[in-house]
Structures are given as C-alpha cells and as structure tokens.
Amino acid sequence: MKATLKTKYDADKSGAASTLAVNAGDVKLRASITDATIINGPSLNGLALSVEKPGFFIVDYNVPKKDLRFQFMNTVKVAEKPLNLTYIHSWADSRTILDGTLVFDSANKVSANHALGSGNCKLKYTYVHEGATTFEPSYDVAKNSWDFAVSRKVYGDDVFKATYQTTSKVLGLEWTRNLKSSGNFKVVASVNMADESKRPKVTAESTWNFEV
C-alpha cells in the first residue's frame, strides 16, 4: 500500500500538525493530529479521522467535537461540458455548502460556491495561459468585493503564487515545490497591508509519499 505523511508548522500559532493517509484499495484512510494531541500525554484533542473515495465522497470525523462532515462529488454534462458538483454538509452546525465548477476547456473554467441559507455566493473564473500562468479573479456577492490570485510554474516543478484580498487588504505569497514521487513542500506567507503593526504570518507544509 502507499501512504502519505503531511506535516504543517504555523509560526504565528507556534503549533504543528501531521496527517497520515493510507491507500486501501479504492478508498483512502486518513488520520490527522496536532501538537495538542500529544502535549501532556496522548489525548483526543486535535484528532480527526476520515475516509475518502477520490472523486466520489469524503467523510470526516472530528473526534473531540464528535462532529461529522460529509462531502459528495459528481460530474454531469452541460452542453457537452463537464460540470463538477460538490455537496458538503457539516453535522454539528447544520451547514450545507454547494460548489460547482464548469470546465469549458483546459484553459478556462468558472466556479460558484454557495452556503445554503446564508444568502452568500462566491464566483471565480480561472484562466490558464500557455499552461504555465494561472489567473483567478473571484467575486464575493455578500461582501461586494473582489479577490485576485496569480500563479506561475517556474523551473519545471516550482509554483509561485500571489493572492490579494481587497476587503482585508491581505497580500499572500506561496511557494510550492513538487518533489515528484517523494512528495512536495510548501511555504506560505501573508501580510496585512492595512496594518503595518501586524507581523507577517508564515506557515510551512511538507508532504512525503512512501510504501508501507
């Protein structure tokens, strides 16, 4: 079987998290822990379990909160174009989210995200230029605001991404390196342009693939 180990460190919160995923036939079993799980002895704090069948469903269980989260995926054809649909429901707060992505071609797609009962809808357009640069403007209907993201592949396996949120004036920078079969690592930094007193937030994440 193949397994994946993901670790994440948040410098702002001085915390770390790890996720172990194992492929078992058609499904993937995943367990996630945080530093709260092992500090002062093993506990259920920060422990989450999930079962996933890629492209069909994901069931997440937050152990300390006793909260279930269901996610179902399907694809239908609209004017001969694939429409990817996702239904997400959180048991504890009875929140349901609908997400849809209409793929026009390999370079263009439109996405919509709506939380039922909230009156809010987020729209996003994705354009990939020459397979290397991706532009993603998005619009939040409730906030009447735009967010922007630009990413570009460099040196073959590296991706640099910049994001900007107009309402919060937060600028984000992200660097991801694909280590091919062994995994990848990612560094994310964000800074609040409206408040210079706030220090930048930095997180680092690494993913390793191995045989078990």
Side-chain angles (χ1 to χ4, degrees):
M1 294 188 299
K2 293 183 178 181
T4 300
L5 176 63
K6 179 183 293 184
T7 59
K8 183 178 181 180
Y9 176 74
D10 191 327
D12 184 59
K13 297 180 181 179
S14 298
S18 298
T19 300
L20 177 64
V22 178
N23 293 331
D26 292 336
V27 300
K28 179 180 292 185
L29 308 177
R30 185 166 55 246
S32 302
I33 63 172
T34 67
D35 48 5
T37 312
I38 56 178
I39 291 178
N40 299 324
S43 69
L44 298 180
N45 294 328
L47 175 62
L49 306 173
S50 71
V51 178
E52 175 185 359
K53 185 172 183 180
F56 292 92
F57 68 82
I58 302 174
V59 179
D60 296 312
Y61 180 60
N62 188 309
V63 177
K65 295 181 179 180
K66 298 180 180 180
D67 183 21
L68 277 171
R69 179 179 179 271
F70 303 92
Q71 180 172 326
F72 300 97
M73 296 84 81
N74 195 11
T75 300
V76 298
K77 291 285 187 177
V78 176
E80 299 303 318
K81 304 295 183 182
L83 174 61
N84 302 320
L85 300 172
T86 302
Y87 170 90
I88 304 171
H89 180 74
S90 298
W91 186 273
D93 55 10
S94 297
R95 185 176 59 157
T96 301
I97 298 174
L98 300 178
D99 187 275
T101 301
L102 182 61
V103 181
F104 294 99
D105 51 43
S106 60
N108 298 274
K109 62 182 180 181
V110 176
S111 305
N113 180 283
H114 173 62
L116 295 182
S118 68
N120 186 24
C121 183
K122 296 180 180 180
L123 306 173
K124 181 172 69 174
Y125 170 64
T126 302
Y127 169 66
V128 181
H129 181 67
E130 295 182 348
T133 305
T134 302
F135 301 91
E136 292 182 307
S138 59
Y139 178 68
D140 190 312
V141 176
K143 296 180 181 179
N144 189 27
S145 64
W146 287 88
D147 293 336
F148 301 92
V150 179
S151 60
R152 181 173 176 80
K153 294 181 180 180
V154 294
Y155 308 120
D157 297 322
D158 290 17
V159 176
F160 284 95
K161 184 176 182 179
T163 61
Y164 183 69
Q165 302 173 5
T166 57
T167 51
S168 59
K169 293 182 171 57
V170 172
L171 174 65
L173 297 175
E174 177 181 307
W175 172 36
T176 303
R177 167 162 287 185
N178 182 12
L179 303 177
K180 296 181 179 179
S181 61
S182 61
N184 59 63
F185 71 86
K186 178 168 63 176
V187 178
V188 181
S190 63
V191 60
N192 192 321
M193 307 296 290
D195 189 350
E196 297 181 355
S197 64
K198 292 184 177 181
R199 64 178 184 178
K201 297 181 179 181
V202 179
T203 62
E205 181 180 296
S206 60
T207 302
W208 301 97
N209 302 319
F210 54 92
E211 300 283 344
V212 295

